[in-house]
């Protein structure tokens, strides 16, 4: 049962991956990072961390540079995608600063080596960081062009043996149409991977959904704007949509 119930402090998941867009960190700004918004998201993560949940993150880069947009404007696609990967590193460093300001040990782990600012991605080392209670922020996508940060998030969640992917959005779940423009939009409580693909619902890109399906990795979509929303969903409370096998 998703709504109501006892306010238990027992999390339903022991290790999760949080996926948020770069735009979620813009706040009231039209570009870049909005420090108060970054701080608010960091505080939400701290509440989950304080429950004893192991957390890793993937943050998009669309608030700084979006590879597909650059490609559409005539830039060579591979170059544009690499620029987008670098934007995710900038967002990861910003989130690291906010989390460590709250006393949470954090590691930024990049798929593109840049040793002066973050660690290279080594799976076993990343798992060890999680076991020690450090938040791992995976940056630079998969390190390859033509793959989105949604796909990177699903890949890393699978490699880290996460219990679920938590996709923080501007709305409290998956709807059959845009609830911001259609007041009659219907929210799904549960939906299968195949239904998401067949109905072309804009949750994650098709590659990410297929990878999650192949690894039976649940995707939980919730509102990042809801106070205590992430901690509540990790404990099974609040409004959200879960994508899972049929």
């Amino acid at each position: 049962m998703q709504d109501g119930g006892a306010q238990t402090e027992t999390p339903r998941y022991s290790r999760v991956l949080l996926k948020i867009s770069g735009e979620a960190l813009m706040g009231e700004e039209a570009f870049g990072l909005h420090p108060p918004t970054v701080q608010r998201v960091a505080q939400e993560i701290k509440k989950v961390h304080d429950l004893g949940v192991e957390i890793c993150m993937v943050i998009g880069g669309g608030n700084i540079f979006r590879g597909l947009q650059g490609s559409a404007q005539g830039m060579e696609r591979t170059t544009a995608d690499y620029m987008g990967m670098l934007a995710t590193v900038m967002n990861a460093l910003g989130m690291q600063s906010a989390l460590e300001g709250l006393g949470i040990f954090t590691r930024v782990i990049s798929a593109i080596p840049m040793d002066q600012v973050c660690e290279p991605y080594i799976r076993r080392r990343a798992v060890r960081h999680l076991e020690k209670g450090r938040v791992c922020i995976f940056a630079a996508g998969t390190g390859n062009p033509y793959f989105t940060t949604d796909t990177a998030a699903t890949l890393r969640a699978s490699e880290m043996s996460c219990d679920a992917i938590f996709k923080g959005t501007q709305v409290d779940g998956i709807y059959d149409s845009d609830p911001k423009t259609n007041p009659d939009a219907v929210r799904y409580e549960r939906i299968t991977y195949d239904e998401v693909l067949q109905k072309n619902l804009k949750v994650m890109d098709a590659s990410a959904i297929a990878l999650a399906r192949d690894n039976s990795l649940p995707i939980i979509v919730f509102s990042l704007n809801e106070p205590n929303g992430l901690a509540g969903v990790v404990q099974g409370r609040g409004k959200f949509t879960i994508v899972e096998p049929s």
Side-chain angles (χ1 to χ4, degrees), residues 18-42 57-64 66 91 95 167-171 180 222-225:
L18 173 63
K19 169 62 171 69
I20 61 176
S21 67
E23 289 89 343
L25 303 181
M26 287 197 305
E28 302 169 356
E29 305 294 332
F31 173 83
L33 293 169
H34 182 237
T37 300
V38 177
Q39 186 70 20
R40 178 181 63 80
V41 174
M57 294 183 67
V58 170
I59 307 173
N63 56 320
I64 298 172
R66 184 180 293 278
N91 284 336
M95 181 57 67
K167 176 77 182 282
T169 69
Q170 302 300 309
V171 293
K180 294 182 179 180
F222 71 103
S223 173
L224 199 62
N225 296 325

Side-chain angles (χ1 to χ4, degrees), residues 5-79:
Q7 302 295 305
T8 176
E9 291 299 314
T10 303
R12 292 190 175 184
Y13 306 91
S14 59
R15 179 180 293 173
V16 302
L17 185 139
L18 173 63
K19 169 62 171 69
I20 61 176
S21 67
E23 289 89 343
L25 303 181
M26 287 197 305
E28 302 169 356
E29 305 294 332
F31 173 83
L33 293 169
H34 182 237
T37 300
V38 177
Q39 186 70 20
R40 178 181 63 80
V41 174
Q43 289 170 343
E44 293 290 321
I45 294 168
K46 183 180 186 301
K47 292 171 186 175
V48 176
H49 186 267
D50 289 346
L51 294 172
V53 178
E54 297 173 359
I55 305 168
C56 44
M57 294 183 67
V58 170
I59 307 173
N63 56 320
I64 298 172
F65 186 87
R66 184 180 293 278
L68 277 175
Q69 189 175 31
S71 178
Q73 294 175 352
M75 185 177 292
E76 196 271 323
R77 172 65 188 272
T78 302
T79 298

Side-chain angles (χ1 to χ4, degrees), residues 19-20 22 57-71 75-94 108-114 117-119 121 137-153 155-156:
K19 169 62 171 69
I20 61 176
M57 294 183 67
V58 170
I59 307 173
N63 56 320
I64 298 172
F65 186 87
R66 184 180 293 278
L68 277 175
Q69 189 175 31
S71 178
M75 185 177 292
E76 196 271 323
R77 172 65 188 272
T78 302
T79 298
D81 280 356
Y82 278 121
M83 291 173 68
M85 292 179 215
L86 296 179
T88 71
V89 176
M90 296 171 69
N91 284 336
L93 292 172
V108 173
I109 301 172
S110 173
I112 299 176
M114 47 186 83
V117 295
C118 49
E119 292 186 7
Y121 177 69
I137 308 175
F138 296 114
T142 65
N144 301 289
Y146 297 96
F147 291 94
T148 67
T149 51
D150 282 344
T151 301
L155 174 64
R156 296 295 183 239

Side-chain angles (χ1 to χ4, degrees), residues 22 25 33 65 87-88 103 110-111 119 142 155 159-160 163 167 180 182 186 192 200-201 220 228 231 235 243 245-246:
L25 303 181
L33 293 169
F65 186 87
T88 71
S110 173
E119 292 186 7
T142 65
L155 174 64
E159 291 178 304
M160 295 298 107
D163 299 321
K167 176 77 182 282
K180 294 182 179 180
N182 179 15
V186 177
T192 67
N200 196 29
L201 300 174
I220 297 165
N228 302 314
Q235 297 171 79
V243 184
S246 57

